[in-house]
Amino acid sequence: MTATIPVTILAGSLGAGKTTLLNHLLQHADGRDLAVLINDMGEVNVDAELVAEGSELDVDDGIAELSNGCLCCELQDDLETAVVRLARSYEFDHLVVESSGISEPEPVARLFTTTSRVAARYDVDAIVTVLDTPLFIDTFAGEAVPERRTDPAAESDRPLSDLLIEQLEAADLILCNKTDRCEPAELAETDALLDALRPTAETIHTEFSAVDPDRVLGVDRFDPATDAQQSRGRRDQDRGQGQPSDQNSDHDHEADHTHRHPSEAYGVDSFVFRARRPFHPDRFADILRDLPAAVVRSKGTAWVAGTDMQLSLSQAGPSVRLTATGPWVATLPALERDLYRSNRPDLEWHDEFGDRRTELVVIATARDDTGEHNDFDTEIDGVESRLRARLTDGLVTETEWDRDAFAPTNSFPVEPGEETVFRRE
Ligand SMILES: Nc1nc2c(ncn2[C@@H]2O[C@H](COP(=O)(O)OP(=O)(O)OP(=O)(O)O)[C@@H](O)[C@H]2O)c(=O)[nH]1
């Protein structure tokens, strides 16, 4: 009989630090051969590109990517195919699955425990939830036990804070991340709240998800019976029934049917802004400082006039981080550029602009913390069209383009590896 491969499932809210953790684990794997499966809710899998750039793995060679949907529902069949294919085509001894920030981890774990093709090859090691600690404190400080705002059994609209509770209740291990942005008293309150909400989970405080991989991988903390029982028990209590329900397979079946698509249940949608023209540095900086409140997460690549650097953008909550990842290939001397291109035949190339482009995934919600909204589709469409118009206005105009005289900008990073953080006002 072949040994099963342990699987770590990474969960956590949009921008909590899951990809940062994945990169950290890959860089400190210490002899482990990791394979990763990355799910992004947008149509562009920004996370998979970042992980491929920062590691020795490549997409389709150690990295499987599933985009434009959620592992916990419509991508379940694709997940099954992807992990079976990974096990056939690539030698590894541990799989790390990064679910999108709007996935519920329990249905993802269930695939590895109940689907025969997958369950025969894999064993869930742990569900690791990466917590955006400042966001958690902003949402739940002052409560004795973090409370859902809505009934999970009802078909009602739910705020993202309810999803955060789902992700924490399923966790075997919680990384309280972004502690650099918390006061000691807030960290003590976080520990107390987590102890009330999920007493069986181990908690670890981290900055930039830096954790000893031995504390996260190969920990064997997942227990399907306990995990399912606890969260079902809590749901029954939420429904006022008091007793945990039994654990027969009918219940799994029922859970499958009551699972609503998270983007619908939590009112989240995404769009991609693409342009083959650079942003004007001053106008772009103004846009980044003044993103609409409805934008919960944005990430991708930006082309800004006045610098030859490709900029990687990542906004989570109040901060917008831009990192210079290196010069655009199109700006390199011809020999170097041609050599680079012959080594990277997959590099998307435009006749006039080469690899220079902007591609930003924007994730927005039309809900406030109570789950209230007027008309989700109309509101989200409004957010998208207003932001698209602003971003388009932020691009250099024909006249500016012809003049082509942009002073080197000091608002944006200009050296490889350099970072600039904008604060939303
Ligand atoms: N200040 C601070 N920023 C952090 C920390 N960890 C991660 N970040 C930043 O937060 C942003 C989001 O981090 P990611 O690792 O991409 O988050 P994610 O959970 O993978 O995001 P999604 O996949 O979009 O849900 C990035 O700009 C990170 O650099 C931290 O401990 N402190």
Side-chain angles (χ1 to χ4, degrees), residues 139-140 143-150 159 161-162 165 193 197 234 238:
T139 315
F140 296 110
E143 296 184 16
V145 183
E147 292 283 350
R148 288 183 176 77
R149 307 309 193 225
T150 59
S161 55
D162 279 13
I165 293 189
L193 286 167
L197 182 69
R234 174 168 273 277
D238 286 338

Side-chain angles (χ1 to χ4, degrees), residues 104-107 110 148 150-154 158 162-163 165-167 169-170 227-245 251-252 254-256 258-260 266:
E104 294 175 2
E106 213 191 322
R110 208 179 308 133
R148 288 183 176 77
T150 59
D151 177 356
R158 311 187 66 198
D162 279 13
L163 175 59
I165 293 189
E166 305 284 340
Q167 292 170 334
E169 277 185 350
D227 280 57
Q229 187 182 27
Q230 282 196 350
S231 52
R232 281 184 207 130
R234 174 168 273 277
R235 268 174 219 172
D236 287 344
Q237 280 163 14
D238 286 338
R239 288 180 199 139
Q241 293 166 10
Q243 293 301 311
S245 53
H251 251 99
D252 285 340
E254 185 202 316
D256 283 340
T258 55
H259 179 83
R260 274 172 81 204
Y266 299 102

Side-chain angles (χ1 to χ4, degrees), residues 1-28:
M1 205 180 101
T2 346
T4 51
I5 300 170
V7 184
T8 300
I9 296 166
L10 302 185
S13 59
L14 291 160
K18 299 176 293 295
T19 308
T20 308
L21 174 62
L22 196 50
N23 277 323
H24 176 81
L25 294 175
L26 284 166
Q27 279 152 23
H28 301 86

Side-chain angles (χ1 to χ4, degrees), residues 11-23 38-41 47 50 98-102 130-132 134 176-181 206-210 297-299 313-316 319-323 363 419 423:
S13 59
L14 291 160
K18 299 176 293 295
T19 308
T20 308
L21 174 62
L22 196 50
N23 277 323
I38 301 170
N39 171 217
D40 235 354
M41 78 164 278
D47 293 353
L50 287 175
E98 178 187 345
S99 48
S100 84
I102 61 160
V130 183
L131 183 66
D132 184 327
C176 300
N177 195 36
K178 306 197 179 181
T179 53
D180 54 303
R181 294 193 29 234
T206 53
E207 279 182 30
F208 289 89
S209 307
R297 176 86 169 113
S298 31
K299 53 186 174 180
L313 179 149
S314 175
Q315 169 266 322
S319 42
V320 189
R321 190 175 295 270
L322 284 118
T323 312
I363 303 173
E419 281 191 350
R423 291 260 155 222

Side-chain angles (χ1 to χ4, degrees), residues 281-282 284-285 288 304 307 311 322 409-414 418 420 422:
D282 298 337
F284 190 42
L288 297 180
V304 177
T307 167
L311 302 180
L322 284 118
T409 163
N410 51 14
S411 301
F412 291 91
V414 288
E418 201 185 321
T420 305
F422 291 86

Side-chain angles (χ1 to χ4, degrees), residues 26-44:
L26 284 166
Q27 279 152 23
H28 301 86
D30 294 337
R32 288 184 183 89
D33 286 320
L34 299 181
V36 301
L37 186 142
I38 301 170
N39 171 217
D40 235 354
M41 78 164 278
E43 70 182 79
V44 182

Side-chain angles (χ1 to χ4, degrees), residues 278-281 283-284 287 389-397 400:
F279 283 112
H280 186 288
R283 291 201 292 275
F284 190 42
I287 296 170
R390 266 209 87 189
L391 287 166
T392 306
D393 286 346
L395 300 174
V396 299
T397 62
E400 289 165 339

